[in-house]
Amino acid sequence: MKMSEQHDVEANRELVLRFYQALERGDFSLEGILFDESYKQHSVMAGDGVKGLKEMAAWMAKEWPDRKLTIHQTICEGDKVACHVHFERWPGDPGLAAVDIFRVENGKVVEHWDVVQEIPTEFKHNNGMF
Amino acid sequence: MKMSEQHDVEANRELVLRFYQALERGDFSLEGILFDESYKQHSVMAGDGVKGLKEMAAWMAKEWPDRKLTIHQTICEGDKVACHVHFERWPGDPGLAAVDIFRVENGKVVEHWDVVQEIPTEFKHNNGMF
């Protein structure tokens, strides 16, 4: 990123962290505020747009009422925010590991990609996934 | 990241891109040069250290001789480089989507995390995974 582009990476990071907090507590009212109406979805878990996102969030809240999200690292550059996330669906769940990548324009998320995998119970090392 | 930390994100990005080129062409000689001997692995696909990485790379080269790697986006901040990657194991493979996160110290990769998933053939939208 050229500094002249003047992306506010700290504001973008904060915006995305607000979204995770809303997702964890099942507050769907925020999604129309944080996400632009042009929001483009690349995750295989959701339909397109804010509508698809709300449906997925509602499904997650119903399916996993005791879910817990832990953000292990955020990496921001230009208009992008990447987050490395542990998603425990229920207490004691080894959980899902995910990286979400958000693109932010004018203070709203306009595009999202993710990669998600189940965390296995056995590893070839003792370092864990995070 | 504070600017005073003076991480050279462009050099870090270039280092990581050199690794993918080596991985794609099966050049295992480079791994000891690009990766520090303290290299800590978090991927579930490999054993720890440079040894585990070399073994995984050799296995991939043998298993998928016609593999193709496409880097769709890189996001760098501080000592971290995140790469969103499409890995086609053979011609016509829908492939794997991955995000790799590398931590770089003194011009060498010292730590690596990843999340990897199979790309499905059907989506709830028409935007693809990348």
Side-chain angles (χ1 to χ4, degrees):
Chain A
M1 170 192 137
K2 293 180 185 67
M3 287 309 291
S4 59
E5 290 176 25
Q6 293 288 341
H7 292 290
D8 191 341
V9 296
E10 293 310 327
N12 292 352
R13 189 182 341 252
E14 198 179 314
L15 175 77
V16 165
L17 294 179
R18 279 183 68 204
F19 166 61
Y20 283 113
Q21 289 160 10
L23 191 64
E24 190 175 49
R25 70 174 181 263
D27 179 359
F28 314 128
S29 65
L30 272 178
E31 284 151 23
I33 299 166
L34 306 179
F35 289 73
D36 193 75
E37 60 181 23
S38 70
Y39 178 61
K40 188 172 182 179
Q41 181 63 269
H42 294 274
S43 173
V44 301
M45 297 172 70
D48 207 10
V50 176
K51 181 173 176 287
L53 178 68
K54 287 194 176 204
E55 286 170 358
M56 186 202 67
W59 179 84
M60 280 170 53
K62 188 182 166 204
E63 195 79 3
W64 304 309
D66 298 317
R67 67 201 173 282
K68 185 182 168 196
L69 280 162
T70 308
I71 318 292
H72 284 269
Q73 30 185 350
T74 61
I75 304 165
C76 304
E77 184 180 34
D79 57 358
K80 304 277 179 66
V81 178
C83 298
H84 191 202
V85 182
H86 185 200
F87 182 28
E88 295 162 277
R89 292 161 289 188
W90 50 81
D93 179 24
L96 302 171
V99 176
D100 288 295
I101 301 173
F102 302 87
R103 188 165 70 80
V104 180
E105 268 182 14
N106 302 316
K108 287 198 172 187
V109 177
V110 292
E111 195 163 6
H112 169 256
W113 302 259
D114 68 13
V115 180
V116 181
Q117 75 172 86
E118 290 274 350
I119 299 177
T121 50
E122 290 193 12
F123 284 81
K124 295 176 183 172
H125 50 69
N126 298 312
N127 303 327
M129 278 201 82
F130 295 102
Chain B
M1 171 192 132
K2 294 179 185 65
M3 287 310 290
S4 58
E5 290 177 24
Q6 292 287 343
H7 293 288
D8 189 343
V9 296
E10 293 311 327
N12 292 352
R13 189 184 338 255
E14 198 180 312
L15 175 77
V16 165
L17 294 178
R18 278 182 70 205
F19 166 62
Y20 283 113
Q21 289 161 9
L23 191 65
E24 190 174 50
R25 68 174 183 264
D27 180 359
F28 314 128
S29 65
L30 271 179
E31 284 150 25
I33 298 166
L34 306 179
F35 288 73
D36 193 75
E37 61 182 23
S38 70
Y39 177 60
K40 189 172 180 178
Q41 181 64 267
H42 294 274
S43 174
V44 301
M45 297 173 70
D48 208 9
V50 175
K51 181 172 175 288
L53 177 68
K54 286 194 176 201
E55 285 170 358
M56 187 202 66
W59 179 83
M60 282 170 54
K62 189 182 165 205
E63 195 78 4
W64 303 311
D66 298 317
R67 67 200 171 284
K68 185 182 169 196
L69 280 163
T70 308
I71 318 292
H72 284 268
Q73 28 185 352
T74 61
I75 303 164
C76 304
E77 184 180 35
D79 56 359
K80 304 278 180 65
V81 178
C83 298
H84 192 201
V85 182
H86 185 199
F87 182 30
E88 295 162 276
R89 291 161 290 188
W90 50 81
D93 179 23
L96 303 170
V99 175
D100 289 295
I101 301 173
F102 302 87
R103 188 166 68 81
V104 180
E105 268 182 15
N106 302 317
K108 288 197 172 188
V109 177
V110 292
E111 194 162 8
H112 169 255
W113 303 260
D114 68 14
V115 180
V116 181
Q117 76 172 85
E118 290 274 351
I119 299 177
T121 49
E122 291 193 11
F123 284 81
K124 295 175 184 172
H125 50 69
N126 298 311
N127 302 327
M129 278 203 80
F130 296 102

